[in-house]
Every structure is written in C-alpha cells, then in structure tokens.
Amino acid sequence: MNPFELHIPTRIFFGKNKAEAFFDQLSEYGSKVLLVIGGGSVKRLGYLDEVISELETREITVTLFEGIEPNPLAQTIDKAAELGNRKEVDFVLALGGGSVMDASKAIAGLIHEDEKEIWPFVLGESRYKTMKGALPVVAIPTTAATASEVTAHAVISNKEVKGKAPISYPFMKPSASWLNPAYHTSIPLTATRDGASDIISHVIENYLLGGNDSPLADRYSEGVMETVITTLPKIEESPEDEALRGRLMWASTLALNGMQVAGRKPAPFTLHNLEHALSGYNHELAHGRGLATLYPAYLRWLLKNDRVTDRMALLGSRLFGIEYNDDAAGAMAFIQAFEAWLQENGLYQRLSDVGVPTEAFGDVADYAIKTYGGGKELSAAGPLNREQIIELFEMTENQHAEMEAAE
Ligand code: NZQ
Ligand code: ZN
C-alpha cells in the first residue's frame, strides 16, 4: 500500500424517505440559500417545487438561479455568483446533475472570495489554486455520473476559448447530499448511458495506471464497474425502477469519493484530460459520451504499446471471467468484451460522430497538452505526446470501421 490521506466530509442521506433528515440539517448552514438549477428539467418534473416547499417549511429564504447549462459556462457561473452576493446568501444548494453541482461549488467560491469571474481560477489560468474558502455547498444530484455530490472538483467550460478545466479544493466538498433515487427515474436514456460511462471511467483510469499495490482498491473498483455493467442494461428495460436507479446512483457516488484510489500509486487521469479537451472543443459533447468514444481506442493504444497489459488482463478476468495464459491475449479479450458492452448499450461511436472532426484533432491535442500536460505532454504509463494523442484519436475512426467489417 502507498501512503494516502482521505477526508470524506459529506453527510450522505440515501433514499426517498431521508428528505426530512436532509432538510432538517440545512439550517446548520444558514437561513438564506441560493438554489441553483439547470435548464428546467427539475422544474418540469416537479422536483423544484418539492424542494422549495421543504426549504420554506424550515423558514429558509430561497433565491433561485435557473439556467446552468450542461458543461457549465464560466459566464453563467459569474452571473449566479453576482445574484448570490447581492442577496447575501449563506449557502448554496445544487439541485441537478454534475453541471449544476460543479457550478454551485464555483459560485460558492466566488461569493466567499467576493470575486466576479471564475475563469482565472481554473487549471492553467493565472489564479489557479488561490481561493481561500467557499460558502457551504449542499447537493441533490439528479444524475448518476460525476460523484460531484462528494468530490472537491468543479469542471468549468468556456466557449470563448474553447476550453474546459477544473478547479479543486477540499473546502468545496459538499457538506451534505441527499441521494434520492426517485429523482433519477426521469433521466433520459442517453444521459443514463453517458453517466454509466463516466462512472466506469472514475475507477478504470486508476485501476489501469495506479499499479498493483492496493488489492482492496482493485476489488472495490471492480465492484463499482460490475455494478454499472450489470445494472445499465436492466435500467434500459425498466427505466422507472427506483431500486435499479438507486444502485447506479450509489455506484456513482462511490466511484470518485477517494476510496477507489486509496493505497494505489498516484496516477494521471489521462482519459479525463483528453475528454475535457474534446468537450472544450465541442461544448455540446456530454462528458460521459466523450469518454465512451475514447475507451476502445485508448485501450487498444495501450495494448499496442504494451502498457499496463497485465492490468487489462486482470480486469478482464475479474469483470468478464476471461481465462488467459498470456497477458496480451487476456488484455485483448478484455478490450473486446468491453467494446461489446459499449456497443450493446448504445455507447460506441467515432469522434466524428460526436462533433469532433478529424481536422480538429491537432488543436484538441494542443489544448490537452497545454492545460493538462504543463505544455509538454500527457502520460499514460509512459509519455503521451501530441503525435500519440492524434494517433489515438484517429484510432477511434479506423477501428470502428474494423469492427463494422468484422460483423
Ligand atoms: O439542465 P437540465 O434541464 O437540468 O437537464 C439536464 C441536462 O440536460 C438533464 N438532467 C439532469 N438530471 C435529470 C435530467 N433530465 C431528466 N431528469 C433528471 N433527473 O441531463 C442533462 C445532463 O446534465 P449534466 O449535469 O450536464 O450531466 P452530468 O451529471 O453528466 O454532469 C456533467 C458535468 O460534470 C463534469 C463534466 O465534465 C460535465 O461538465 N464532471 C464533474 C466531476 C466532478 N465534479 O467531480 C467529475 C467528472 O469526471 C466530470 O468531469
Ligand atoms: Zn468523469
């Protein structure tokens, strides 16, 4: 085991009937809340009215900010912070998916710091890591995807510079989160699939690149992946089944709460670096969809370069029961089984299918290296330079053709 620190401060309330306990907790954070929502789904579905009613019953004054977009924009966050500042709110409540939760953390930081613009604080910009605190944030996640309800991170987009980059502070971890599976039965199928892809990414990245030193982190991560792999097809059959929704939701929270890496050696979040550059380029691209598009090429690229072959083979045996004598054969069987799962669950496509044409590959690689690689290169169990990133992106195009030819 490698040394680590772990701090999971979020008080988690899981289940529909935990509403009372969750809302009773909130007066600890103050009497004036900025309630942040996305493009209107929670309004249409009635969740917003329920939440406002619970807050008002407890004499918490609500200021509503509506209109956080998927891949939340810096400029929208700035506007919400201005409103929260003017209304002198005590804390921020996020009711929505990862985009709303991330925006809420950033808003809470801006208000606390009495600052007007979030973009200078993101990775790669002049004021990165200079925030001193944030208002308390509490969350009601309406997607199973990002684990933002427990993480320190907020990922911010900026259309003007075609960029997407995180801020991350321990004090941005939500103080309390209510995980209500009933609010997940309405998630559209595409967003459910995108979320499943994201959950897997949060454990598979470090599983592959984080070494062999923490067998318990391996089993923990395999448990998360196995849950997603078996639960998603069942949700496709019964999207309104709260038990299934709850299962996926809990897998999501556990996938990025810090336990998944405890004892591993530090490892980069390479697929995330690449994906953020892709959805920075195309603001309409959902994070989980971008990741799903990269998986097959990324795994095949690793195998081709004989990187973490043993880890892929191990994962294949644990997740899909693949028996193997030789690591390379085991790794290839794993990749094929995982690709088949992606195909069966509507998660298999080319980059050009998701709005990133081949002409853009160089610019996207440059952005990834500039923002996430300190201007030099990324890494994936070894260097991952500009040419290699472009090669990997090109593989998402070609290898799809190979699969079609094989059918
Ligand atoms: O905007 P509304 O109207 O709310 O609609 C949303 C949005 O269109 C809709 N939706 C959400 N919950 C729903 C629902 N529709 C019906 N019923 C519900 N219950 O779904 C769409 C997508 O929502 P979004 O919040 O964008 O999705 P997700 O949760 O996947 O969040 C993605 C964002 O989180 C970042 C991503 O980069 C991306 O910006 N991430 C945050 C992380 C973190 N904070 O730790 C880690 C992740 O790796 C990720 O990078
Ligand atoms: Zn992610």
Side-chain angles (χ1 to χ4, degrees), residues 7 18 21 47 52 69-70 115 118 145 150 164 202 242-243 262 280 284 313 330 337 345-346 350 379 393 406:
H7 180 225
K18 284 287 170 188
Y47 309 157
I52 290 178
E69 45 290 280
E115 290 285 348
I118 196 67
V150 289
K164 183 170 182 183
H202 296 156
E242 286 181 25
E284 304 300 312
N345 290 279
R350 307 173 180 89
S379 70
F393 288 163

Side-chain angles (χ1 to χ4, degrees), residues 174-390:
S175 303
S177 291
W178 177 34
L179 279 53
N180 176 10
Y183 287 172
H184 283 213
T185 55
S186 56
I187 305 171
L189 193 51
T190 304
T192 304
R193 291 166 167 169
D194 296 347
S197 160
D198 193 20
I199 300 169
I200 290 175
S201 75
H202 296 156
V203 287
I204 205 172
E205 292 244 47
N206 289 109
Y207 190 103
L208 296 178
L209 304 184
N212 295 314
D213 300 331
S214 186
L216 185 53
D218 287 354
R219 291 299 194 183
Y220 179 100
S221 302
E222 289 156 12
V224 169
M225 285 185 265
E226 198 272 340
T227 301
V228 175
I229 282 171
T230 55
T231 307
L232 180 62
K234 291 183 186 149
I235 291 180
E236 304 219 358
E237 299 276 300
S238 316
E240 295 192 5
D241 185 322
E242 286 181 25
L244 293 173
R245 290 288 187 177
R247 213 181 282 172
L248 195 68
M249 182 182 210
W250 188 229
S252 169
T253 304
L254 291 183
L256 200 57
N257 67 355
M259 301 274 258
Q260 79 288 356
V261 291
R264 292 200 196 288
K265 69 177 188 202
F269 230 30
T270 312
L271 272 175
H272 273 73
N273 299 162
L274 295 173
E275 196 299 309
H276 288 160
L278 292 171
S279 42
Y281 174 81
N282 173 15
H283 183 249
E284 304 300 312
L285 174 58
H287 172 61
R289 182 65 46 174
L291 290 165
T293 311
L294 291 174
Y295 281 135
Y298 179 66
L299 297 172
R300 283 171 183 262
W301 189 90
L302 289 173
L303 179 58
K304 189 174 144 201
N305 291 279
D306 194 17
R307 298 189 188 180
V308 297
T309 308
D310 58 333
R311 297 293 292 171
M312 287 194 272
L314 177 70
L315 187 53
S317 74
R318 298 274 174 85
L319 274 189
F320 298 111
I322 293 164
E323 292 177 13
Y324 63 97
N325 298 317
D326 161 69
D327 280 351
M332 182 45 97
F334 159 68
I335 294 169
Q336 287 168 338
F338 188 47
E339 279 172 351
W341 182 85
L342 291 169
Q343 280 197 310
E344 284 156 20
N345 290 279
L347 282 164
Y348 193 82
Q349 58 278 306
R350 307 173 180 89
L351 277 178
S352 54
D353 297 329
V354 294
V356 186
T358 49
E359 310 85 80
F361 289 175
D363 287 348
V364 175
D366 287 338
Y367 181 82
I369 287 172
K370 173 170 88 73
T371 306
Y372 295 97
K376 296 190 185 111
E377 59 191 16
L378 300 183
S379 70
L384 187 60
N385 63 29
R386 184 179 194 274
E387 287 66 39
Q388 291 167 319
I389 294 172
I390 293 172

